[in-house]
Amino acid sequence: MTEFQDIRITELASGQAESGPLMNMVLNLSADAPVNCPDAFREAWNQPAPAMRRQAVVEGSRLASTCMAYELQGQIDQLNEVISATNDACRLGSEQAELRQDGELRDLKASLRYD
């Protein structure tokens, strides 16, 4: 069984002016997000939250967040919470997929005839 490795934010890669005071902040992640995880992150990030959340998108090993420079630490704090929840969901999904594949393989082996 392949163990799921948690994704985490490692550093600020770049910040570029977007429009007005907003900047496109690009954060490096510890690894490429597994295939289904960007969707899970987006769904979790778009849920209602107690504090305002700016746009954030995961692509590969990067996370882009559009915010004001002084808001970045607050965004990172919220991003870490959502990333942690997304890690949990992706780990569970990965484990379930592996168990399903193991079961399908076991069923296939039981049904094959070689004569």
Side-chain angles (χ1 to χ4, degrees):
M1 185 181 247
T2 306
E3 187 174 326
F4 178 83
Q5 297 295 315
D6 283 352
I7 304 292
R8 59 185 178 76
I9 297 171
T10 59
E11 67 181 338
L12 175 64
S14 65
Q16 297 176 328
E18 184 71 21
S19 62
L22 293 178
M23 296 184 72
N24 187 31
M25 303 293 197
V26 179
L27 303 163
N28 286 335
L29 300 174
S30 58
D32 281 349
V35 174
N36 62 332
C37 288
D39 291 338
F41 169 82
R42 185 175 40 260
E43 288 175 22
W45 185 252
N46 289 330
Q47 295 299 311
M52 181 180 72
R53 290 182 175 166
R54 301 263 190 197
Q55 178 184 357
V57 177
V58 173
E59 285 188 19
S61 64
R62 297 202 167 203
L63 187 155
S65 176
T66 303
C67 63
M68 293 184 211
Y70 73 86
E71 294 175 321
L72 185 58
Q73 184 59 62
Q75 289 290 94
I76 289 173
D77 293 343
Q78 290 184 57
L79 288 164
N80 280 331
E81 290 176 19
V82 172
I83 288 170
S84 178
T86 303
N87 281 333
D88 292 344
C90 289
R91 180 181 306 102
L92 179 61
S94 175
E95 289 170 356
Q96 287 175 341
E98 284 194 37
L99 288 172
R100 189 171 41 254
Q101 285 178 338
D102 289 347
E104 289 171 0
L105 184 57
R106 187 175 45 254
D107 292 347
L108 177 62
K109 284 180 178 180
S111 69
L112 292 175
R113 292 188 339 233
Y114 297 101
D115 51 16

